[in-house]
Amino acid sequence: MKYAAFLTGSQYLYGGEALEAVAADSVRIAEYLDKAACGARVKFKGVMKTSDEIVATVKQINSDDDCIGVIVWCHTFSPAKMWINGLKLLQKPLLHLHTQANRELPYDEIDMDFMNLNQAAHGDREFAYILTRMGIVRKSVVGYYEEEDTVKEINLWLDLARAYDYSSKLKICRFGDNMRDVAVTEGDKVEAHIRLGWQTDYYGIGDLKEEIAAVSGKESEALYSETLKRYELNTDNVAAVKEQIKYAIALRRFLDRAGYKAFTTNFQDLHGLRQLPGMAVQLLMADGYGFGAEGDWKIAALGAVMREMAKYRKGSTAFMEDYTYDLTHGRELVLGAHMLEVCPTMAATRPKIEVHPLGIGGKEPPARLVFDGICGDAVAVCMTDTGSGFRLICAEIELVKQPLPMPKLPVARVMWRIKPDFKSGVRAWLEAGGAHHTVVSTALTASDMEAFAALHGIEFVHIG
Ligand code: MN
């Protein structure tokens, strides 16, 4: 399992006995946090007393693939000039934990030895100064380490650090290019690689067609019967469903072979495929692969990263598209969906497997999973390329029950209310240049996304 390194700042000024006490307290705190942590471990990596020691430790941390970030706490005063060289090298997210080994002051016992040993109030200010002076993005968590809210904040950061690590190695497979003439799904792939770590590779759809042709009848039957256990078959056109089953097997094999965690398709580029991949994409989404339709690689990558951040939390995180509105005065709602590809983790009802004609693309009627969406507070997030950099836009929304059934709508759908109200929320989204493709998440919050943007030096717009 991935871990965060716990470092304690100190110096030689206080003598050997004090340093032993610093180390013992640090081990105790790191072990407490390790037990309380979800999503990553916390491992104590030493008391830092000199610049050389900090540089050597940071080099180890940078080169350790399992280490997602660093937690630093200064038990005593730790003169911050000795942190400069190490901090200049640090390539991983930093959490500054401002805590103490003791909760209460020992009023009867307190003397100068206690004061010299327990001076985080003093030492952490010196450390924070150099972080601010050097412009280092970090999360500052303040409070006694056993407090529930302190642990909660650390856990949120562990999710962020894990997502940062995941993003820095993310590979996205693009089947075909972006949809013709569409602007917002474009973007600077080189800049995304430099800034976010996203490697975006192009493949012709013919490569996937070959993979589909190689799927055996036996493995198709196995996935078909497994799929029928999870979802309700609501069609006589079993052949169309089995076609999507083959796509799902081929897609997964193709992606896994080279370690792709996200992918895109484009309905304008389906040569040799009989259907637009619908249910196939939904089956992969359910297993955590990021997806973007119409060649939208930015949203595919963002979806995969957000799924990783939300991995150990309650809630759903999925690709979405603002499709159409209910503009009834006072209860304005967005209907979010896609042509086919809505993630079944968003389902409030048991998804039904259905086959219906598709008006665009000129292919055979594709199988898809159809369901009504879940309810709850959520965020809708997109990332656009403004021409001078990336902008992450995050709107707070509330997923609601659809007011009436939609018996003729042949796709999965989710409905939501925009915060603070329809007019202001939508106007802000439009003026920020927000996209129609988003990732909707009931597991993540605007502050998660703000921290993600800050770590990557990306502009952040918060609507709510
Ligand atoms: Mn779309």
Side-chain angles (χ1 to χ4, degrees), residues 143-194:
Y144 187 59
Y145 67 96
E146 287 185 15
E147 295 288 342
E148 204 175 307
D149 60 345
T150 306
V151 169
K152 193 180 164 195
E153 284 185 72
I154 293 171
N155 274 327
L156 292 176
W157 177 82
L158 287 173
D159 287 341
L160 175 71
R162 216 184 48 251
Y164 182 89
D165 175 68
Y166 179 92
S167 179
S168 71
K169 297 159 191 159
L170 183 62
K171 292 170 74 179
I172 303 110
C173 174
R174 305 163 57 230
F175 289 110
D177 201 356
N178 299 61
M179 185 177 168
R180 281 188 285 281
D181 291 328
V182 177
V184 76
T185 58
E186 290 285 357
D188 185 338
K189 295 192 277 288
V190 177
E191 185 62 20
H193 197 151
I194 294 168

Short mmCIF file of all heavy atoms in Angstrom, two decimals, residues 143-194:
data_model
loop_
_atom_site.label_atom_id
_atom_site.label_comp_id
_atom_site.label_asym_id
_atom_site.label_seq_id
_atom_site.Cartn_x
_atom_site.Cartn_y
_atom_site.Cartn_z
N GLY A 143 -4.12 21.27 15.00
CA GLY A 143 -4.92 20.68 16.08
C GLY A 143 -4.23 19.47 16.69
O GLY A 143 -3.28 18.92 16.12
N TYR A 144 -4.72 19.06 17.85
CA TYR A 144 -4.16 17.88 18.50
C TYR A 144 -4.39 16.66 17.61
O TYR A 144 -5.48 16.49 17.06
CB TYR A 144 -4.83 17.70 19.88
CG TYR A 144 -4.17 16.61 20.69
CD1 TYR A 144 -2.82 16.68 21.02
CD2 TYR A 144 -4.90 15.50 21.11
CE1 TYR A 144 -2.20 15.68 21.75
CE2 TYR A 144 -4.30 14.50 21.85
CZ TYR A 144 -2.95 14.58 22.17
OH TYR A 144 -2.34 13.59 22.88
N TYR A 145 -3.36 15.85 17.47
CA TYR A 145 -3.41 14.81 16.43
C TYR A 145 -4.46 13.73 16.67
O TYR A 145 -4.86 13.04 15.74
CB TYR A 145 -2.02 14.16 16.26
CG TYR A 145 -1.55 13.36 17.45
CD1 TYR A 145 -1.73 11.98 17.52
CD2 TYR A 145 -0.94 13.99 18.53
CE1 TYR A 145 -1.31 11.26 18.62
CE2 TYR A 145 -0.52 13.26 19.64
CZ TYR A 145 -0.72 11.90 19.68
OH TYR A 145 -0.31 11.18 20.78
N GLU A 146 -4.92 13.59 17.92
CA GLU A 146 -5.94 12.57 18.17
C GLU A 146 -7.36 13.08 17.93
O GLU A 146 -8.31 12.29 17.96
CB GLU A 146 -5.82 12.04 19.61
CG GLU A 146 -4.62 11.14 19.84
CD GLU A 146 -4.59 10.55 21.24
OE1 GLU A 146 -5.63 10.59 21.94
OE2 GLU A 146 -3.53 10.04 21.64
N GLU A 147 -7.50 14.38 17.72
CA GLU A 147 -8.85 14.93 17.49
C GLU A 147 -9.39 14.39 16.16
O GLU A 147 -8.66 14.30 15.17
CB GLU A 147 -8.81 16.47 17.42
CG GLU A 147 -8.42 17.17 18.70
CD GLU A 147 -9.50 17.11 19.78
OE1 GLU A 147 -10.67 16.84 19.45
OE2 GLU A 147 -9.14 17.33 20.96
N GLU A 148 -10.69 14.14 16.18
CA GLU A 148 -11.34 13.55 15.00
C GLU A 148 -11.18 14.44 13.76
O GLU A 148 -10.90 13.96 12.67
CB GLU A 148 -12.82 13.38 15.32
CG GLU A 148 -13.51 12.32 14.49
CD GLU A 148 -14.95 12.13 14.97
OE1 GLU A 148 -15.17 11.91 16.19
OE2 GLU A 148 -15.83 12.23 14.11
N ASP A 149 -11.33 15.77 13.96
CA ASP A 149 -11.26 16.63 12.77
C ASP A 149 -9.83 16.74 12.22
O ASP A 149 -9.64 16.92 11.02
CB ASP A 149 -11.88 18.02 13.03
CG ASP A 149 -11.20 18.79 14.14
OD1 ASP A 149 -10.44 18.18 14.91
OD2 ASP A 149 -11.42 20.02 14.22
N THR A 150 -8.84 16.60 13.11
CA THR A 150 -7.44 16.60 12.64
C THR A 150 -7.20 15.37 11.75
O THR A 150 -6.66 15.47 10.64
CB THR A 150 -6.47 16.58 13.84
OG1 THR A 150 -6.79 17.66 14.70
CG2 THR A 150 -5.03 16.68 13.40
N VAL A 151 -7.63 14.22 12.24
CA VAL A 151 -7.47 12.97 11.49
C VAL A 151 -8.23 13.05 10.16
O VAL A 151 -7.73 12.63 9.11
CB VAL A 151 -7.95 11.77 12.33
CG1 VAL A 151 -8.06 10.51 11.48
CG2 VAL A 151 -7.03 11.55 13.52
N LYS A 152 -9.42 13.64 10.22
CA LYS A 152 -10.24 13.75 9.01
C LYS A 152 -9.52 14.60 7.95
O LYS A 152 -9.47 14.22 6.77
CB LYS A 152 -11.59 14.37 9.36
CG LYS A 152 -12.61 14.24 8.25
CD LYS A 152 -13.93 14.86 8.62
CE LYS A 152 -14.74 15.03 7.33
NZ LYS A 152 -15.87 15.93 7.49
N GLU A 153 -8.95 15.71 8.37
CA GLU A 153 -8.24 16.57 7.42
C GLU A 153 -7.02 15.86 6.82
O GLU A 153 -6.71 16.02 5.64
CB GLU A 153 -7.78 17.86 8.10
CG GLU A 153 -8.89 18.87 8.32
CD GLU A 153 -8.34 20.17 8.89
OE1 GLU A 153 -7.67 20.90 8.14
OE2 GLU A 153 -8.55 20.44 10.09
N ILE A 154 -6.35 15.08 7.66
CA ILE A 154 -5.18 14.33 7.16
C ILE A 154 -5.64 13.28 6.14
O ILE A 154 -5.02 13.09 5.10
CB ILE A 154 -4.40 13.70 8.33
CG1 ILE A 154 -3.77 14.81 9.17
CG2 ILE A 154 -3.33 12.73 7.82
CD1 ILE A 154 -3.15 14.35 10.47
N ASN A 155 -6.76 12.63 6.44
CA ASN A 155 -7.27 11.63 5.50
C ASN A 155 -7.67 12.24 4.16
O ASN A 155 -7.43 11.65 3.11
CB ASN A 155 -8.46 10.89 6.12
CG ASN A 155 -8.00 9.71 6.96
OD1 ASN A 155 -7.00 9.07 6.66
ND2 ASN A 155 -8.72 9.43 8.04
N LEU A 156 -8.26 13.43 4.20
CA LEU A 156 -8.61 14.11 2.94
C LEU A 156 -7.35 14.39 2.13
O LEU A 156 -7.32 14.22 0.91
CB LEU A 156 -9.35 15.43 3.22
CG LEU A 156 -10.75 15.32 3.83
CD1 LEU A 156 -11.30 16.71 4.14
CD2 LEU A 156 -11.70 14.58 2.91
N TRP A 157 -6.30 14.79 2.84
CA TRP A 157 -5.03 15.08 2.14
C TRP A 157 -4.39 13.80 1.60
O TRP A 157 -3.80 13.81 0.50
CB TRP A 157 -4.07 15.80 3.09
CG TRP A 157 -2.73 16.04 2.46
CD1 TRP A 157 -2.40 17.06 1.61
CD2 TRP A 157 -1.55 15.24 2.62
NE1 TRP A 157 -1.07 16.94 1.24
CE2 TRP A 157 -0.53 15.83 1.84
CE3 TRP A 157 -1.25 14.08 3.35
CZ2 TRP A 157 0.76 15.29 1.77
CZ3 TRP A 157 0.02 13.55 3.28
CH2 TRP A 157 1.02 14.15 2.49
N LEU A 158 -4.51 12.70 2.33
CA LEU A 158 -3.95 11.43 1.82
C LEU A 158 -4.62 11.05 0.49
O LEU A 158 -3.96 10.58 -0.44
CB LEU A 158 -4.13 10.31 2.85
CG LEU A 158 -3.23 10.37 4.09
CD1 LEU A 158 -3.63 9.30 5.10
CD2 LEU A 158 -1.75 10.22 3.73
N ASP A 159 -5.94 11.30 0.40
CA ASP A 159 -6.66 11.03 -0.86
C ASP A 159 -6.11 11.93 -1.98
O ASP A 159 -5.93 11.49 -3.11
CB ASP A 159 -8.16 11.29 -0.69
CG ASP A 159 -8.85 10.21 0.13
OD1 ASP A 159 -8.27 9.10 0.26
OD2 ASP A 159 -9.95 10.46 0.65
N LEU A 160 -5.87 13.18 -1.63
CA LEU A 160 -5.33 14.13 -2.60
C LEU A 160 -3.93 13.71 -3.05
O LEU A 160 -3.63 13.70 -4.25
CB LEU A 160 -5.28 15.52 -1.96
CG LEU A 160 -4.62 16.63 -2.78
CD1 LEU A 160 -5.51 17.00 -3.96
CD2 LEU A 160 -4.34 17.85 -1.92
N ALA A 161 -3.09 13.35 -2.09
CA ALA A 161 -1.71 12.96 -2.42
C ALA A 161 -1.70 11.69 -3.27
O ALA A 161 -0.91 11.56 -4.21
CB ALA A 161 -0.92 12.76 -1.13
N ARG A 162 -2.61 10.77 -2.95
CA ARG A 162 -2.70 9.54 -3.75
C ARG A 162 -3.15 9.86 -5.18
O ARG A 162 -2.63 9.32 -6.16
CB ARG A 162 -3.67 8.56 -3.09
CG ARG A 162 -3.28 7.10 -3.19
CD ARG A 162 -4.33 6.18 -2.59
NE ARG A 162 -5.65 6.49 -3.04
CZ ARG A 162 -6.60 7.05 -2.30
NH1 ARG A 162 -6.39 7.31 -1.03
NH2 ARG A 162 -7.78 7.32 -2.83
N ALA A 163 -4.13 10.77 -5.30
CA ALA A 163 -4.61 11.16 -6.63
C ALA A 163 -3.51 11.89 -7.41
O ALA A 163 -3.39 11.73 -8.63
CB ALA A 163 -5.85 12.06 -6.50
N TYR A 164 -2.72 12.68 -6.72
CA TYR A 164 -1.60 13.40 -7.36
C TYR A 164 -0.60 12.40 -7.94
O TYR A 164 -0.14 12.51 -9.08
CB TYR A 164 -0.94 14.31 -6.33
CG TYR A 164 0.20 15.14 -6.87
CD1 TYR A 164 -0.03 16.39 -7.44
CD2 TYR A 164 1.51 14.67 -6.83
CE1 TYR A 164 1.01 17.15 -7.93
CE2 TYR A 164 2.56 15.42 -7.33
CZ TYR A 164 2.31 16.66 -7.89
OH TYR A 164 3.34 17.40 -8.38
N ASP A 165 -0.29 11.40 -7.13
CA ASP A 165 0.63 10.34 -7.55
C ASP A 165 0.08 9.59 -8.77
O ASP A 165 0.78 9.35 -9.75
CB ASP A 165 0.84 9.39 -6.35
CG ASP A 165 1.69 8.18 -6.70
OD1 ASP A 165 2.88 8.37 -6.95
OD2 ASP A 165 1.15 7.05 -6.74
N TYR A 166 -1.22 9.26 -8.69
CA TYR A 166 -1.90 8.53 -9.77
C TYR A 166 -1.90 9.38 -11.05
O TYR A 166 -1.60 8.88 -12.14
CB TYR A 166 -3.32 8.25 -9.29
CG TYR A 166 -4.24 7.53 -10.24
CD1 TYR A 166 -4.35 6.14 -10.20
CD2 TYR A 166 -5.04 8.24 -11.14
CE1 TYR A 166 -5.23 5.49 -11.05
CE2 TYR A 166 -5.92 7.59 -11.98
CZ TYR A 166 -6.01 6.22 -11.93
OH TYR A 166 -6.88 5.57 -12.77
N SER A 167 -2.22 10.66 -10.90
CA SER A 167 -2.26 11.57 -12.05
C SER A 167 -0.90 11.66 -12.73
O SER A 167 -0.81 11.69 -13.96
CB SER A 167 -2.72 12.95 -11.58
OG SER A 167 -2.76 13.86 -12.65
N SER A 168 0.15 11.69 -11.92
CA SER A 168 1.50 11.90 -12.47
C SER A 168 1.95 10.74 -13.35
O SER A 168 2.91 10.88 -14.10
CB SER A 168 2.49 12.12 -11.33
OG SER A 168 2.70 10.91 -10.63
N LYS A 169 1.23 9.58 -13.25
CA LYS A 169 1.60 8.41 -14.05
C LYS A 169 0.48 7.98 -15.00
O LYS A 169 0.52 6.90 -15.58
CB LYS A 169 1.93 7.23 -13.13
CG LYS A 169 3.13 7.50 -12.22
CD LYS A 169 3.12 6.60 -11.00
CE LYS A 169 4.16 7.08 -10.00
NZ LYS A 169 3.91 6.60 -8.65
N LEU A 170 -0.54 8.82 -15.15
CA LEU A 170 -1.75 8.40 -15.86
C LEU A 170 -1.54 8.35 -17.38
O LEU A 170 -0.99 9.27 -17.98
CB LEU A 170 -2.89 9.39 -15.53
CG LEU A 170 -4.25 9.07 -16.14
CD1 LEU A 170 -4.79 7.74 -15.64
CD2 LEU A 170 -5.24 10.19 -15.81
N LYS A 171 -2.01 7.25 -17.96
CA LYS A 171 -1.96 7.09 -19.41
C LYS A 171 -3.39 7.00 -19.95
O LYS A 171 -4.21 6.24 -19.45
CB LYS A 171 -1.19 5.81 -19.78
CG LYS A 171 0.30 5.91 -19.45
CD LYS A 171 0.99 4.56 -19.60
CE LYS A 171 1.17 4.18 -21.05
NZ LYS A 171 1.87 2.88 -21.19
N ILE A 172 -3.65 7.79 -20.99
CA ILE A 172 -4.99 7.85 -21.58
C ILE A 172 -4.90 7.36 -23.02
O ILE A 172 -4.05 7.81 -23.79
CB ILE A 172 -5.54 9.31 -21.56
CG1 ILE A 172 -5.56 9.85 -20.14
CG2 ILE A 172 -6.93 9.38 -22.17
CD1 ILE A 172 -4.56 10.92 -19.89
N CYS A 173 -5.80 6.45 -23.35
CA CYS A 173 -5.84 5.88 -24.70
C CYS A 173 -6.95 6.55 -25.49
O CYS A 173 -8.11 6.53 -25.08
CB CYS A 173 -6.10 4.37 -24.58
SG CYS A 173 -6.35 3.56 -26.13
N ARG A 174 -6.59 7.15 -26.62
CA ARG A 174 -7.59 7.83 -27.46
C ARG A 174 -7.87 6.99 -28.70
O ARG A 174 -6.98 6.82 -29.53
CB ARG A 174 -7.07 9.21 -27.89
CG ARG A 174 -6.65 10.09 -26.75
CD ARG A 174 -5.78 11.25 -27.23
NE ARG A 174 -6.45 12.04 -28.24
CZ ARG A 174 -5.93 12.37 -29.41
NH1 ARG A 174 -4.70 12.00 -29.73
NH2 ARG A 174 -6.61 13.07 -30.27
N PHE A 175 -9.09 6.46 -28.80
CA PHE A 175 -9.47 5.77 -30.04
C PHE A 175 -10.08 6.82 -30.97
O PHE A 175 -11.19 7.30 -30.74
CB PHE A 175 -10.49 4.66 -29.76
CG PHE A 175 -9.88 3.49 -29.04
CD1 PHE A 175 -10.21 3.23 -27.72
CD2 PHE A 175 -8.96 2.65 -29.67
CE1 PHE A 175 -9.65 2.15 -27.04
CE2 PHE A 175 -8.40 1.58 -29.00
CZ PHE A 175 -8.74 1.33 -27.69
N GLY A 176 -9.35 7.19 -31.98
CA GLY A 176 -9.79 8.26 -32.87
C GLY A 176 -9.43 9.60 -32.26
O GLY A 176 -8.93 9.70 -31.14
N ASP A 177 -9.67 10.65 -33.02
CA ASP A 177 -9.36 12.01 -32.56
C ASP A 177 -10.62 12.63 -31.94
O ASP A 177 -11.63 11.96 -31.76
CB ASP A 177 -8.87 12.82 -33.78
CG ASP A 177 -8.06 14.04 -33.38
OD1 ASP A 177 -7.95 14.31 -32.16
OD2 ASP A 177 -7.57 14.75 -34.28
N ASN A 178 -10.53 13.91 -31.64
CA ASN A 178 -11.70 14.62 -31.12
C ASN A 178 -12.76 14.74 -32.21
O ASN A 178 -12.44 14.76 -33.39
CB ASN A 178 -11.31 16.04 -30.67
CG ASN A 178 -10.29 16.01 -29.56
OD1 ASN A 178 -9.19 15.50 -29.75
ND2 ASN A 178 -10.64 16.52 -28.42
N MET A 179 -14.00 14.88 -31.79
CA MET A 179 -15.10 15.07 -32.73
C MET A 179 -14.84 16.31 -33.59
O MET A 179 -14.38 17.33 -33.09
CB MET A 179 -16.40 15.25 -31.95
CG MET A 179 -17.62 15.33 -32.80
SD MET A 179 -19.07 15.45 -31.73
CE MET A 179 -20.30 15.90 -32.94
N ARG A 180 -15.15 16.17 -34.87
CA ARG A 180 -14.91 17.28 -35.80
C ARG A 180 -15.59 18.57 -35.36
O ARG A 180 -16.72 18.54 -34.89
CB ARG A 180 -15.43 16.91 -37.20
CG ARG A 180 -14.51 15.99 -37.98
CD ARG A 180 -14.99 15.81 -39.42
NE ARG A 180 -16.16 14.94 -39.54
CZ ARG A 180 -16.10 13.61 -39.51
NH1 ARG A 180 -14.94 12.98 -39.35
NH2 ARG A 180 -17.19 12.88 -39.65
N ASP A 181 -14.88 19.67 -35.47
CA ASP A 181 -15.41 21.02 -35.24
C ASP A 181 -15.65 21.39 -33.77
O ASP A 181 -15.95 22.54 -33.46
CB ASP A 181 -16.73 21.27 -36.02
CG ASP A 181 -16.51 21.33 -37.51
OD1 ASP A 181 -15.42 21.78 -37.92
OD2 ASP A 181 -17.41 20.90 -38.26
N VAL A 182 -15.59 20.44 -32.88
CA VAL A 182 -15.86 20.76 -31.47
C VAL A 182 -14.63 21.42 -30.85
O VAL A 182 -13.51 20.96 -31.02
CB VAL A 182 -16.24 19.49 -30.67
CG1 VAL A 182 -16.44 19.82 -29.19
CG2 VAL A 182 -17.50 18.87 -31.25
N ALA A 183 -14.86 22.51 -30.10
CA ALA A 183 -13.76 23.30 -29.55
C ALA A 183 -13.35 22.86 -28.14
O ALA A 183 -12.16 22.66 -27.86
CB ALA A 183 -14.16 24.78 -29.52
N VAL A 184 -14.33 22.67 -27.28
CA VAL A 184 -14.00 22.56 -25.85
C VAL A 184 -13.32 21.24 -25.47
O VAL A 184 -12.65 21.15 -24.45
CB VAL A 184 -15.28 22.81 -24.99
CG1 VAL A 184 -16.20 21.59 -25.01
CG2 VAL A 184 -14.91 23.19 -23.56
N THR A 185 -13.50 20.22 -26.33
CA THR A 185 -12.84 18.95 -26.04
C THR A 185 -11.37 18.94 -26.48
O THR A 185 -10.65 17.98 -26.21
CB THR A 185 -13.57 17.76 -26.72
OG1 THR A 185 -13.60 18.01 -28.12
CG2 THR A 185 -14.98 17.59 -26.19
N GLU A 186 -10.95 20.00 -27.16
CA GLU A 186 -9.54 20.11 -27.55
C GLU A 186 -8.69 20.56 -26.37
O GLU A 186 -9.22 20.88 -25.29
CB GLU A 186 -9.40 21.14 -28.69
CG GLU A 186 -9.97 20.69 -30.02
CD GLU A 186 -9.08 19.66 -30.73
OE1 GLU A 186 -8.00 19.33 -30.22
OE2 GLU A 186 -9.49 19.19 -31.81
N GLY A 187 -7.40 20.65 -26.57
CA GLY A 187 -6.54 21.13 -25.50
C GLY A 187 -5.09 20.78 -25.79
O GLY A 187 -4.80 20.00 -26.70
N ASP A 188 -4.22 21.37 -25.01
CA ASP A 188 -2.78 21.22 -25.20
C ASP A 188 -2.32 19.95 -24.48
O ASP A 188 -2.15 19.94 -23.26
CB ASP A 188 -2.09 22.47 -24.66
CG ASP A 188 -0.59 22.47 -24.92
OD1 ASP A 188 -0.01 21.39 -25.13
OD2 ASP A 188 0.00 23.56 -24.90
N LYS A 189 -2.08 18.89 -25.25
CA LYS A 189 -1.72 17.59 -24.64
C LYS A 189 -0.30 17.61 -24.09
O LYS A 189 0.00 16.90 -23.14
CB LYS A 189 -1.91 16.47 -25.67
CG LYS A 189 -3.37 16.28 -26.07
CD LYS A 189 -3.60 15.00 -26.85
CE LYS A 189 -3.28 15.14 -28.31
NZ LYS A 189 -4.27 15.95 -29.06
N VAL A 190 0.54 18.40 -24.71
CA VAL A 190 1.92 18.50 -24.20
C VAL A 190 1.91 19.19 -22.83
O VAL A 190 2.54 18.75 -21.87
CB VAL A 190 2.82 19.27 -25.18
CG1 VAL A 190 4.22 19.44 -24.62
CG2 VAL A 190 2.89 18.53 -26.51
N GLU A 191 1.14 20.27 -22.73
CA GLU A 191 1.04 20.99 -21.46
C GLU A 191 0.41 20.09 -20.38
O GLU A 191 0.83 20.10 -19.21
CB GLU A 191 0.22 22.28 -21.65
CG GLU A 191 0.15 23.18 -20.42
CD GLU A 191 1.51 23.72 -19.98
OE1 GLU A 191 2.46 23.72 -20.80
OE2 GLU A 191 1.63 24.12 -18.80
N ALA A 192 -0.60 19.30 -20.77
CA ALA A 192 -1.23 18.39 -19.81
C ALA A 192 -0.23 17.35 -19.32
O ALA A 192 -0.25 16.95 -18.15
CB ALA A 192 -2.44 17.71 -20.45
N HIS A 193 0.65 16.93 -20.21
CA HIS A 193 1.66 15.94 -19.82
C HIS A 193 2.66 16.57 -18.84
O HIS A 193 3.00 15.98 -17.81
CB HIS A 193 2.37 15.42 -21.08
CG HIS A 193 3.12 14.14 -20.86
ND1 HIS A 193 3.32 13.21 -21.85
CD2 HIS A 193 3.71 13.62 -19.76
CE1 HIS A 193 4.00 12.19 -21.37
NE2 HIS A 193 4.26 12.43 -20.10
N ILE A 194 3.10 17.79 -19.18
CA ILE A 194 4.08 18.46 -18.31
C ILE A 194 3.46 18.78 -16.95
O ILE A 194 4.04 18.50 -15.90
CB ILE A 194 4.57 19.77 -18.98
CG1 ILE A 194 5.38 19.45 -20.25
CG2 ILE A 194 5.40 20.62 -18.00
CD1 ILE A 194 5.66 20.66 -21.13
#
